[in-house]
Amino acid sequence: MAATSTTKMPIAKALNESLRKAMEDNPKVLVMGEDVGKLGGVFRITDGLQKDFGEDRVIDTPLAESGIVGTAIGLALRGYRPVVEIQFDGFVFPAYDQIVTQLAKMHARALGKVKLPVVIRIPYAGGIGAVEHHSESPEALFAHVAGLKCVSPSNAADAYWMMQQAIESDDPVVFFEPKRRYWDKGEVDTSAIPAPLHAARVARQGTDLTLAAYGPMVKTCLEAAAAAEEEGNSLEVVDMRSMSPIDFDTLQQSVERTRRLVVVHEAPVFLGTGSEVAARITERCFYHLEAPVLRVGGFHAPYPPARLEEEYLPGLDRVLDAVDRALAY
Amino acid sequence: MAATSTTKMPIAKALNESLRKAMEDNPKVLVMGEDVGKLGGVFRITDGLQKDFGEDRVIDTPLAESGIVGTAIGLALRGYRPVVEIQFDGFVFPAYDQIVTQLAKMHARALGKVKLPVVIRIPYAGGIGAVEHHSESPEALFAHVAGLKCVSPSNAADAYWMMQQAIESDDPVVFFEPKRRYWDKGEVDTSAIPAPLHAARVARQGTDLTLAAYGPMVKTCLEAAAAAEEEGNSLEVVDMRSMSPIDFDTLQQSVERTRRLVVVHEAPVFLGTGSEVAARITERCFYHLEAPVLRVGGFHAPYPPARLEEEYLPGLDRVLDAVDRALAY
Amino acid sequence: MTVEGTAARSTSRRSGGKRASTSRKKKTAATQPGEPQLVQLLTPEGERVEHPDYAFDPTPDELRGFYRDMMLTRRFDAEATALQRQGELGLWASLLGQEAAQIGSARALRPDDYVFPTYREHGVAWCRGVDPTNLLGMFRGVNNGGWDPNTNNFHLYTIVIGSQALHATGYAMGVAKDGADSAVIAYFGDGASSQGDVAEAFTFSAVYNAPVVFFCQNNQWAISEPAERQSRVPIYQRAQGFGFPGVRVDGNDVLACMAVTKAAVERARTGEGPMLIEAFTYRMGAHTTSDDPTRYRHDDERAAWEAKDPILRLRTLLEKENLADKDFLTSVDEEADALARRVREAVRAMPNPDSMAIFEHVYADGHALVDEERAQYAEYLASFADGEAH
Amino acid sequence: MTVEGTAARSTSRRSGGKRASTSRKKKTAATQPGEPQLVQLLTPEGERVEHPDYAFDPTPDELRGFYRDMMLTRRFDAEATALQRQGELGLWASLLGQEAAQIGSARALRPDDYVFPTYREHGVAWCRGVDPTNLLGMFRGVNNGGWDPNTNNFHLYTIVIGSQALHATGYAMGVAKDGADSAVIAYFGDGASSQGDVAEAFTFSAVYNAPVVFFCQNNQWAISEPAERQSRVPIYQRAQGFGFPGVRVDGNDVLACMAVTKAAVERARTGEGPMLIEAFTYRMGAHTTSDDPTRYRHDDERAAWEAKDPILRLRTLLEKENLADKDFLTSVDEEADALARRVREAVRAMPNPDSMAIFEHVYADGHALVDEERAQYAEYLASFADGEAH
Ligand SMILES: Cc1ncc(C[n+]2csc(CCOP(=O)(O)OP(=O)(O)O)c2C)c(N)n1
Ligand SMILES: Cc1ncc(C[n+]2csc(CCOP(=O)(O)OP(=O)(O)O)c2C)c(N)n1
Ligand SMILES: [Mg+2]
Ligand SMILES: [Mg+2]
């Protein structure tokens, strides 16, 4: 057994350390994107990497997202493992064609004869008071697409390990980073044996209802569970961690015990990942559910200007309102 | 009351007539896309329009989908009503950024002060034995996005009227044309008063279970209902017609009667429109449902090569299998 | 809607006054060997120079008008930066250093011309007569733009890099269809020149011969990336390969920017199609108030560009030629102070949007889901008012 | 995997034989006034001409090799068209008329170079040694490509227009990182030149000085749209604005295509960066077997291009110079027949994929949902076998 080496650090730092580790371990790992070099990215996730690994491995790209992903595909075909940074969620769409028609499908097109180990990092979701296009949660638009995997860590340890695992994966992984949690600190044990990349995790045990969430909403759900406890309700919180695939087994086991499920994400409810969770868990747990699976999420509207985002984002109150409604069945 | 003027025609012709009518009625209506001019589009939906309305209104564009949609937005800002043809479903993605970040959001960005009456026609879905990218069903990727409306006709009369209504709409409409049904004939009454664009329609009445579908799968569901009848099961078929918004009221009314629902689409089940229907109808009809809402659709895999599409596409047997499973609850 | 900007334009146009007698001072600009050609009519030292293709003899009123435009724009910009520091704005993208490029190009336009800006075209907005406080809504976070583009033929700010180049091209295609002789101008940056959308705009505009001018402010930086990261040749050369002319202009020379843009819009009006202008200028400040340029560029670069300041050189000219007396200069300063005050007050008074605004204007014709969510959310909010909830 | 293509290449390389004594016949190609320059080394009449920048003295073996390559490619292509008519293929995209562009460019490559094709590069595939039947799988509908790109350094056919230009650029960036001296070549059409992805590939390759050659076959048509719908200037000129050279070559002249591509890949190898080649050629057939060109183009256009046929002119040269006797010509014809026969048989024998193939290779590392759906579908299929279902 390796000695544990646990440090407390924010998610942003955990990601930075993880990238550094991956680059040290494997000379084929590259980092590329807009402003990832000297600036270290607008969130400093790649801070110091260009200084230490050189411009050849930490590549400031022209301002063209399709070009970034398209050339990352070419680099992957040559044997590299590019980790691409999309500066903000709303700027991934110029690359959407390369992602869904090429990155997602090329392995199948080649009947397995080529692999596309590309990680697409997207700082996503809201809560930082930003202007338009800087606060969106487009994960459903990627999770629906076969050939991609989608994950989102909620804490520093997961950020560290899931990034390692995403880079090690031979499949393209869209890595959604909860940008408003970048500065949340947590213990990271760099010698731990991590859970599988796509396994959900019971983040808090409870008996009356399950809250399912991932990324930034896990913290909100944990807070809601704490608040509910004071009211005498015992909520279980499942950190889904992966949106493609979704670990339905863990969710099912939880719901079979609690018999009620509320899914929470920032993305619009309509056709959000919660719709799939609701549909499939209802199918799996039809005779267990005491209430319909309820969903809390964004509205069917463009992400609003900053001074309205507190209204738009699912907060404690809206989560607890859904909990009350579910418990009332 | 106007005299009825009913003609039997295929869906393709109904669309062509509808475009012609819209162009005659309003000089601001333009048609643009690749090969829409002399060729009349690869499916001949715009056949003859350039001859009659000129190159200024029926515009062959450079081969660049982002450019097509981006310039259509500019034309709309200038007061035009562009109807854009995307040649095949799989080629809409280069335009995805313009569609979701600009077309969908500009009206809101302007607090209503500009309107974006752009129709994006997409011949979609499979069943024609085509090569890759020519058979996809990406509707969920548009329906999830606020600011867009998404519809799909299943028959010639709807094709005719829904196209008129989409062009009249001051909102952007993504118009999904069921390409393998282009040659299916139906009666079109050009003097009828059409149903609202986003209203679902009970296409066949039944008592034991509701099948919900749109576009190409309506025919499949009607055939399934006919087959089920022979086995003594009475299936109701709802033609959803619109995927954004979805007419949940009509679905709810149906399910409250039949107490069972199977949703059918060609798109992958995972995060397909069926997931939203399942989640919401379960919420609305929790105490009515005798069985979980079941979904029949594509698999979580790239659309397969032509010789496998019969396996991939939901056909009669797979629909009836789901019906059996739902009835067995 | 204030019309200070518009008023300034009519002032500069009204002028029956005699041309500023600058000809005696004109020389021809010296081009450094190896450097690409750069249209210049006013040197950093405030000397008028001639250019064979772009003659421009501004009246004294016009010169004073440019000065006023640039001063007021700069002051407005500084005030917005201050407002961000004070927490009144969430973000600000300063145009400091780019005043000449924006004022010069915008003053070349007619009211019926149409502008498609990025997020930094505060000086262009000014010239179009857009109320400056309108620009602040999105940076304060109370809306995402929200003005009516048709009031001043000034489209909403576009944040997604390069998108608006296509909107401008489409709009221009519409102008041509209408048989109008208006021109359209699309602004974008050096970074944007790499986006596929900009290239597609070049293709469409060339193929349809659309009356659009592409005005690229090469301010040397796209956040932390120098312009060489976008192109290994000067950006204006990009146009030629698409079949229309490109020209590089001294972006800190308001006269040259005016003259070149004027020529480009005239081409557009007369059916000669698109043109690309690269205004060679410098982003004197940070990318936005969130940015820290010390991480990626040296102070001495900024210092070198300070010597080329667009306002300074015009002021030198005005003073040298006795075209601006103390009264005029003072009045502009006072006007700038008043503008800043007015903007500050207006921003502070800007109300937060109503909760239910989330559901407004998602669609023009309504949408059942939005209606349902609006009703549910209203009910939810009401439950608090009733004291029924947590 | 058959290596007929590869074999042909080694033949043409082996040659210790003396150079074909064509010099005495060479003239310099006459350029029509107003027409853009077009590199030509062999006229439609079968005359050798010289070009100041692109000298190429092929050996007789090389000339015969080109002839054989083009003949076999054309025959393979005709067979595929026939197989589509007979219902064995769902679709075919014919390269008829583009043999010289493809063979000439592909024969300029080394085995370690890497090719990114569209869906029409059957002649290039041939030269790379790809088994022609491999190309037919996607057109028959049994797979979406499925060959191993690394076997012949020939990437999968790409259908989404322009995408592969970026893959090629990224691959070339990787070659440069590896310190290798291989070159990469991206094929695309005149239509594709309008796609943003192609422009972005130009930008990236120029900025990173990537060893990539862009080979645009301007076959005058993008389905029904003439090349003028994509650009109002010759496509090769596009490159200059991105900072690298572009050249137009007679795409029906296999010698010129070889010489120009050779020069371009040599540039790439020696670190001089990208180059754009526009091969001016003609799509003699329909866009694909689904297309009906009579709707949009005149027969006389085709007739004019028939006079410039790429194979005919080489055969004329071979005969004139006594480089190909009857035996050789007959042997090529026989080889072509054999190839056609072999392809026909192979296609007919191509098995339909297994139902469960849908679930294979969606992911390299597996995916729980795919596993679940695979199991469910297998169970569903089994229910029929058991006679339990409808
Ligand atoms: C498609 C897209 N990608 C990334 C961004 C983030 N971003 C905002 S401004 C900027 C740099 C733009 O540089 P440039 O075009 O030179 O304009 P400047 O800001 O210098 O005026 C970037 C990368 C964006 N807004 N849109
Ligand atoms: C992004 C995209 N849009 C549309 C199509 C449909 N399409 C297939 S080939 C083609 C024309 C291509 O023309 P060109 O690039 O000149 O190549 P050619 O077929 O002439 O060899 C079109 C429009 C496509 N494959 N990809
Ligand atoms: Mg810049
Ligand atoms: Mg072509």
Side-chain angles (χ1 to χ4, degrees):
Chain A
M1 281 256 152
T4 63
S5 52
T6 301
T7 331
K8 194 159 188 167
M9 61 178 85
I11 289 180
K13 180 73 181 158
L15 292 168
N16 179 269
E17 292 286 338
S18 190
L19 290 170
R20 175 177 293 279
K21 176 81 166 53
M23 295 191 80
E24 277 165 2
D25 289 355
N26 187 344
K28 292 295 183 186
V29 174
L30 307 175
V31 163
M32 53 196 290
E34 295 158 10
D35 306 296
V36 297
K38 275 193 187 149
L39 187 63
V42 291
F43 291 106
R44 310 290 185 268
I45 305 301
T46 58
D47 193 26
L49 298 180
Q50 190 179 65
K51 195 164 139 277
D52 295 341
F53 297 99
E55 293 192 16
D56 231 40
R57 293 188 62 198
V58 180
I59 309 166
D60 270 334
T61 61
L63 211 170
E65 285 77 6
S66 189
I68 298 171
V69 174
T71 54
I73 291 171
L75 283 158
L77 293 172
R78 179 73 189 181
Y80 287 89
R81 305 183 86 84
V83 182
V84 162
E85 174 171 312
I86 298 292
Q87 199 158 78
F88 284 91
D89 33 69
F91 307 136
V92 69
F93 300 113
Y96 196 70
D97 176 58
Q98 283 287 347
I99 295 172
V100 310
T101 72
Q102 303 302 326
L103 186 61
K105 296 186 173 69
M106 203 178 279
H107 177 71
R109 191 174 298 148
L111 295 177
K113 282 155 202 141
V114 297
K115 289 176 180 167
L116 278 299
V118 176
V119 177
I120 306 211
R121 295 181 39 234
I122 308 182
Y124 86 122
I128 62 160
V131 294
E132 207 187 344
H133 312 292
H134 291 68
S135 309
E136 297 171 15
S137 296
E139 64 272 19
L141 303 173
F142 296 88
H144 182 52
V145 178
L148 303 176
K149 291 174 172 175
C150 304
V151 299
S152 183
S154 70
N155 58 66
D158 275 358
Y160 181 86
W161 284 113
M162 289 167 75
M163 180 60 76
Q164 296 286 309
Q165 293 165 317
I167 294 171
E168 272 160 28
S169 168
D170 278 336
D171 290 309
V173 178
V174 190
F175 197 97
F176 290 93
E177 302 176 0
K179 65 167 92 78
R180 68 159 140 159
R181 308 295 186 209
Y182 270 150
W183 303 278
D184 286 6
K185 286 188 177 172
E187 301 286 345
V188 178
D189 177 357
T190 56
S191 65
I193 293 165
L197 179 57
H198 301 288
R201 179 179 64 94
V202 177
R204 177 189 172 114
Q205 293 194 323
T207 54
D208 299 339
L209 181 148
T210 302
L211 288 174
Y214 50 83
M217 283 293 102
V218 172
K219 185 177 182 184
T220 305
C221 287
L222 287 170
E223 288 169 358
E229 189 167 45
E230 291 174 21
E231 297 176 12
N233 291 321
S234 164
L235 308 191
E236 178 144 316
V237 177
V238 175
D239 181 351
M240 292 170 58
R241 297 171 81 249
S242 175
M243 297 84 86
S244 175
I246 290 174
D247 178 358
F248 288 110
D249 293 342
T250 298
L251 286 169
Q252 178 177 354
Q253 284 155 23
S254 175
V255 173
E256 283 177 1
R257 278 186 281 105
T258 64
R259 296 174 169 262
R260 285 177 170 85
L261 175 62
V262 172
V263 195
V264 185
H265 51 58
E266 290 190 23
V269 165
F270 187 81
L271 275 171
T273 53
S275 67
E276 182 62 40
V277 173
R280 208 164 286 244
I281 289 299
T282 304
E283 199 177 329
R284 288 197 182 201
C285 307
F286 189 64
Y287 292 121
H288 288 90
L289 283 170
E290 303 280 351
V293 178
L294 298 185
R295 296 172 289 161
V296 182
F299 301 112
H300 192 70
Y303 194 90
R307 302 228 170 185
L308 280 174
E309 71 179 341
E310 289 304 318
E311 304 269 355
Y312 181 91
L313 289 170
L316 217 60
D317 286 332
R318 275 174 59 207
V319 172
L320 290 173
D321 175 66
V323 167
D324 287 348
R325 285 188 284 122
L327 290 172
Y329 270 81
Chain B
M1 281 257 149
T4 63
S5 52
T6 302
T7 331
K8 194 160 187 165
M9 60 178 84
I11 288 180
K13 181 72 181 159
L15 291 168
N16 180 269
E17 291 287 337
S18 189
L19 289 171
R20 175 176 294 278
K21 176 81 166 53
M23 296 191 79
E24 277 165 1
D25 289 355
N26 186 345
K28 293 295 184 187
V29 175
L30 306 175
V31 163
M32 53 196 290
E34 295 158 9
D35 306 296
V36 297
K38 275 192 186 150
L39 188 62
V42 291
F43 289 108
R44 310 289 185 267
I45 306 301
T46 58
D47 193 24
L49 297 180
Q50 189 180 67
K51 195 164 139 277
D52 295 340
F53 297 99
E55 293 192 16
D56 231 41
R57 293 188 61 198
V58 180
I59 309 166
D60 270 335
T61 61
L63 211 170
E65 285 77 7
S66 189
I68 298 171
V69 173
T71 54
I73 290 170
L75 283 158
L77 292 172
R78 179 74 190 179
Y80 286 89
R81 305 183 84 84
V83 182
V84 162
E85 174 171 313
I86 298 292
Q87 197 157 78
F88 283 91
D89 34 69
F91 306 138
V92 70
F93 300 113
Y96 196 70
D97 175 57
Q98 283 287 346
I99 294 172
V100 309
T101 71
Q102 304 302 326
L103 186 61
K105 296 186 173 68
M106 204 179 279
H107 178 70
R109 191 174 298 149
L111 295 176
K113 283 155 201 141
V114 298
K115 288 174 180 170
L116 279 299
V118 176
V119 176
I120 306 210
R121 295 181 40 235
I122 307 182
Y124 85 121
I128 62 160
V131 295
E132 206 187 343
H133 312 291
H134 291 68
S135 307
E136 298 172 13
S137 296
E139 64 272 20
L141 303 173
F142 296 88
H144 182 52
V145 178
L148 303 176
K149 291 174 171 175
C150 304
V151 300
S152 183
S154 71
N155 58 66
D158 275 358
Y160 182 85
W161 284 114
M162 290 169 74
M163 179 60 76
Q164 296 285 309
Q165 294 166 316
I167 295 171
E168 273 160 28
S169 168
D170 278 335
D171 290 309
V173 177
V174 190
F175 197 98
F176 290 92
E177 302 176 0
K179 67 169 91 79
R180 69 161 140 157
R181 308 294 187 210
Y182 270 150
W183 304 278
D184 286 7
K185 286 188 178 173
E187 300 287 345
V188 178
D189 177 356
T190 56
S191 65
I193 294 167
L197 179 57
H198 302 288
R201 180 178 63 94
V202 176
R204 177 188 171 114
Q205 295 195 322
T207 53
D208 299 339
L209 180 148
T210 301
L211 288 174
Y214 49 82
M217 283 293 102
V218 173
K219 185 176 182 184
T220 306
C221 287
L222 287 170
E223 288 169 358
E229 188 167 45
E230 290 174 22
E231 298 177 12
N233 292 321
S234 165
L235 308 191
E236 179 144 314
V237 177
V238 175
D239 181 351
M240 292 170 57
R241 296 171 82 250
S242 174
M243 295 85 86
S244 174
I246 291 175
D247 178 358
F248 288 110
D249 292 343
T250 298
L251 286 169
Q252 179 177 354
Q253 284 154 24
S254 175
V255 173
E256 283 177 359
R257 278 185 280 106
T258 64
R259 294 172 169 264
R260 286 179 171 85
L261 176 62
V262 172
V263 195
V264 184
H265 50 59
E266 289 190 23
V269 166
F270 187 81
L271 275 170
T273 54
S275 66
E276 182 62 40
V277 172
R280 209 164 287 245
I281 290 299
T282 304
E283 199 177 329
R284 288 197 182 201
C285 307
F286 190 63
Y287 292 121
H288 287 91
L289 282 170
E290 302 279 354
V293 178
L294 297 185
R295 295 171 291 161
V296 181
F299 301 111
H300 191 70
Y303 195 91
R307 302 228 170 186
L308 279 174
E309 70 179 340
E310 289 303 319
E311 304 268 357
Y312 180 90
L313 289 171
L316 218 59
D317 287 331
R318 274 173 60 207
V319 172
L320 290 173
D321 174 67
V323 167
D324 288 348
R325 284 188 284 121
L327 290 172
Y329 271 81
Chain C
M1 170 126 318
T2 177
V3 286
E4 288 155 304
T6 311
R9 180 175 46 210
S10 26
T11 307
S12 69
R13 284 196 163 182
R14 186 157 16 89
S15 163
K18 67 176 196 302
R19 299 263 151 200
S21 57
T22 44
S23 57
R24 62 192 147 95
K25 296 187 189 78
K26 278 193 222 165
K27 322 178 197 167
T28 300
T31 304
Q32 304 284 91
E35 251 186 32
Q37 219 187 319
L38 178 117
V39 178
Q40 193 181 67
L41 299 178
L42 178 63
T43 70
E45 296 74 31
E47 302 275 328
R48 289 294 316 270
V49 284
E50 280 189 358
H51 189 282
D53 301 332
Y54 300 98
F56 179 38
D57 259 328
T59 64
D61 268 354
E62 276 178 307
L63 290 174
R64 284 188 292 264
F66 291 141
Y67 178 78
R68 174 178 172 275
D69 286 339
M70 291 200 286
M71 283 293 286
L72 267 62
T73 297
R74 181 170 287 186
R75 180 54 184 273
F76 162 70
D77 185 75
E79 188 59 31
T81 300
L83 284 165
Q84 195 280 333
R85 299 246 164 77
Q86 294 156 23
E88 297 289 344
L89 301 179
L91 185 80
W92 183 244
S94 167
L95 70 4
L96 188 66
Q98 300 177 218
E99 294 87 355
Q102 297 196 10
I103 303 298
S105 59
R107 284 294 176 213
L109 307 177
R110 294 194 321 217
D112 61 305
D113 295 336
Y114 214 101
V115 175
F116 286 85
T118 71
Y119 41 81
R120 208 189 284 285
E121 265 64 78
H122 320 312
V124 181
W126 166 260
C127 297
R128 299 303 288 174
V130 175
D131 182 338
T133 58
N134 265 351
L135 306 177
L136 299 173
M138 62 182 271
F139 293 102
R140 184 169 170 88
V142 301
N143 59 42
N144 288 324
W147 63 83
D148 184 345
N150 291 325
T151 305
N152 305 95
N153 282 8
F154 185 80
H155 188 68
L156 298 163
Y157 275 1
T158 297
I159 292 178
V160 181
I161 300 295
S163 292
Q164 75 280 3
L166 282 168
H167 309 155
T169 300
Y171 194 96
M173 288 163 62
V175 167
K177 275 183 211 308
D178 294 343
D181 75 341
S182 311
V184 180
I185 187 164
Y187 288 86
F188 57 84
D190 44 298
S193 70
S194 295
Q195 283 286 2
D197 272 10
V198 170
E200 294 187 10
F202 289 176
T203 288
F204 277 66
S205 63
V207 162
Y208 297 118
N209 203 40
V212 58
V213 176
F214 297 107
F215 195 90
C216 176
Q217 288 169 81
N218 177 354
N219 63 6
Q220 313 304 325
W221 292 92
I223 309 187
S224 75
E225 299 188 356
E228 307 84 66
R229 182 82 326 180
Q230 315 296 337
S231 184
R232 66 182 195 189
V233 288
I235 291 169
Y236 77 91
Q237 294 180 7
R238 189 69 51 86
Q240 214 185 324
F242 290 85
F244 56 92
V247 61
R248 180 180 273 189
V249 61
D250 181 342
N252 286 10
D253 171 355
V254 69
L255 305 186
C257 288
M258 166 87 171
V260 169
T261 310
K262 195 123 207 162
V265 294
E266 287 311 326
R267 281 186 89 250
R269 286 188 212 302
T270 53
E272 288 176 74
M275 178 162 161
L276 170 64
I277 300 170
E278 178 192 3
F280 204 71
T281 179
Y282 192 71
R283 195 194 79 204
M284 296 296 290
H287 170 69
T288 65
T289 47
S290 298
D291 181 37
D292 173 11
T294 65
R295 292 180 69 100
Y296 54 82
R297 71 182 191 188
H298 286 294
D299 277 352
D300 41 355
E301 187 184 278
R302 199 194 128 104
W305 279 92
E306 247 156 29
K308 304 186 203 168
D309 186 83
I311 301 188
L312 204 63
R313 67 174 81 174
L314 181 59
R315 187 171 167 140
T316 307
L317 176 72
L318 286 172
E319 289 178 336
K320 234 176 4 195
E321 308 221 351
N322 293 319
L323 297 174
D325 56 17
K326 218 182 142 215
D327 278 1
F328 170 75
L329 296 174
T330 311
S331 81
V332 170
D333 287 345
E334 282 168 4
E335 217 186 334
D337 285 344
L339 172 64
R341 222 169 19 247
R342 188 172 71 71
V343 165
R344 192 163 57 243
E345 279 157 20
V347 164
R348 291 200 174 133
M350 242 181 225
N352 279 349
D354 183 77
S355 304
M356 303 311 285
I358 290 173
F359 305 99
E360 296 311 308
H361 308 303
V362 183
Y363 294 91
D365 293 345
H367 189 280
L369 178 60
V370 176
D371 295 341
E372 185 182 328
E373 290 186 344
R374 183 197 289 109
Q376 281 169 353
Y377 192 58
E379 202 183 319
Y380 165 77
L381 290 182
S383 73
F384 287 91
D386 301 349
E388 286 169 22
H390 309 275
Chain D
M1 172 127 316
T2 176
V3 287
E4 288 155 304
T6 310
R9 180 176 48 209
S10 28
T11 308
S12 69
R13 285 197 160 181
R14 184 157 19 88
S15 163
K18 67 176 195 306
R19 299 262 151 203
S21 56
T22 44
S23 56
R24 62 194 146 93
K25 295 186 190 79
K26 279 192 222 163
K27 320 178 199 168
T28 300
T31 305
Q32 303 285 92
E35 250 186 31
Q37 219 186 318
L38 180 117
V39 178
Q40 194 181 65
L41 300 178
L42 178 63
T43 71
E45 295 74 33
E47 300 277 328
R48 287 296 315 270
V49 284
E50 279 189 0
H51 189 281
D53 301 331
Y54 301 98
F56 179 39
D57 260 329
T59 64
D61 268 354
E62 275 178 307
L63 290 173
R64 284 188 292 264
F66 291 140
Y67 177 78
R68 173 178 172 274
D69 286 338
M70 292 199 286
M71 283 294 285
L72 266 61
T73 297
R74 181 171 287 188
R75 180 53 185 272
F76 162 69
D77 186 75
E79 189 60 30
T81 300
L83 285 165
Q84 193 280 335
R85 299 248 163 76
Q86 294 157 24
E88 297 289 344
L89 300 179
L91 185 81
W92 183 244
S94 167
L95 71 2
L96 189 65
Q98 302 177 217
E99 295 86 355
Q102 297 196 11
I103 303 299
S105 58
R107 284 295 177 214
L109 306 177
R110 293 195 319 218
D112 61 306
D113 295 336
Y114 214 100
V115 175
F116 286 84
T118 72
Y119 40 81
R120 207 188 285 285
E121 265 65 78
H122 322 312
V124 181
W126 168 261
C127 296
R128 299 304 288 173
V130 175
D131 183 338
T133 58
N134 266 350
L135 306 177
L136 299 173
M138 61 181 273
F139 293 102
R140 184 169 170 88
V142 300
N143 59 41
N144 288 324
W147 62 83
D148 184 344
N150 292 324
T151 305
N152 305 95
N153 283 8
F154 184 79
H155 188 68
L156 298 163
Y157 274 0
T158 298
I159 291 177
V160 181
I161 299 296
S163 291
Q164 74 281 2
L166 282 168
H167 309 156
T169 300
Y171 194 97
M173 288 162 63
V175 167
K177 276 182 210 309
D178 294 342
D181 75 341
S182 311
V184 180
I185 187 164
Y187 288 85
F188 57 85
D190 44 297
S193 70
S194 295
Q195 284 286 1
D197 272 9
V198 171
E200 294 187 7
F202 289 177
T203 288
F204 276 66
S205 63
V207 162
Y208 297 117
N209 203 40
V212 58
V213 176
F214 297 107
F215 195 90
C216 176
Q217 287 169 81
N218 178 355
N219 63 6
Q220 313 304 325
W221 292 93
I223 309 188
S224 75
E225 300 188 357
E228 307 86 65
R229 182 82 326 182
Q230 314 296 337
S231 183
R232 66 183 194 188
V233 289
I235 290 169
Y236 76 92
Q237 294 180 7
R238 188 71 50 87
Q240 215 186 323
F242 290 85
F244 57 90
V247 61
R248 182 180 272 190
V249 62
D250 182 341
N252 285 11
D253 171 356
V254 69
L255 303 186
C257 288
M258 166 87 171
V260 170
T261 309
K262 194 123 205 161
V265 294
E266 287 310 326
R267 281 187 90 251
R269 285 186 213 304
T270 53
E272 289 177 71
M275 178 162 161
L276 169 64
I277 300 169
E278 177 191 4
F280 205 70
T281 179
Y282 192 70
R283 194 194 79 204
M284 295 297 289
H287 169 70
T288 65
T289 47
S290 298
D291 181 38
D292 173 10
T294 64
R295 292 180 68 100
Y296 55 81
R297 71 182 191 188
H298 286 294
D299 277 353
D300 40 357
E301 187 183 280
R302 197 194 131 104
W305 279 91
E306 247 156 29
K308 305 185 202 167
D309 185 83
I311 300 187
L312 203 63
R313 68 174 81 174
L314 181 60
R315 185 169 167 142
T316 307
L317 176 72
L318 286 172
E319 288 177 338
K320 235 175 4 193
E321 309 220 352
N322 294 318
L323 297 172
D325 56 17
K326 217 180 141 217
D327 279 1
F328 170 74
L329 296 174
T330 312
S331 80
V332 170
D333 288 345
E334 283 168 3
E335 216 186 336
D337 286 344
L339 172 63
R341 221 168 21 246
R342 190 173 69 73
V343 164
R344 188 162 61 241
E345 280 157 18
V347 164
R348 291 200 172 133
M350 244 181 225
N352 279 348
D354 182 78
S355 305
M356 302 312 285
I358 290 174
F359 305 98
E360 296 312 308
H361 308 304
V362 184
Y363 294 91
D365 293 344
H367 189 281
L369 177 61
V370 175
D371 295 342
E372 185 182 327
E373 290 187 346
R374 184 198 288 108
Q376 281 168 353
Y377 192 59
E379 202 183 319
Y380 165 78
L381 290 181
S383 74
F384 288 91
D386 300 350
E388 284 168 22
H390 308 274

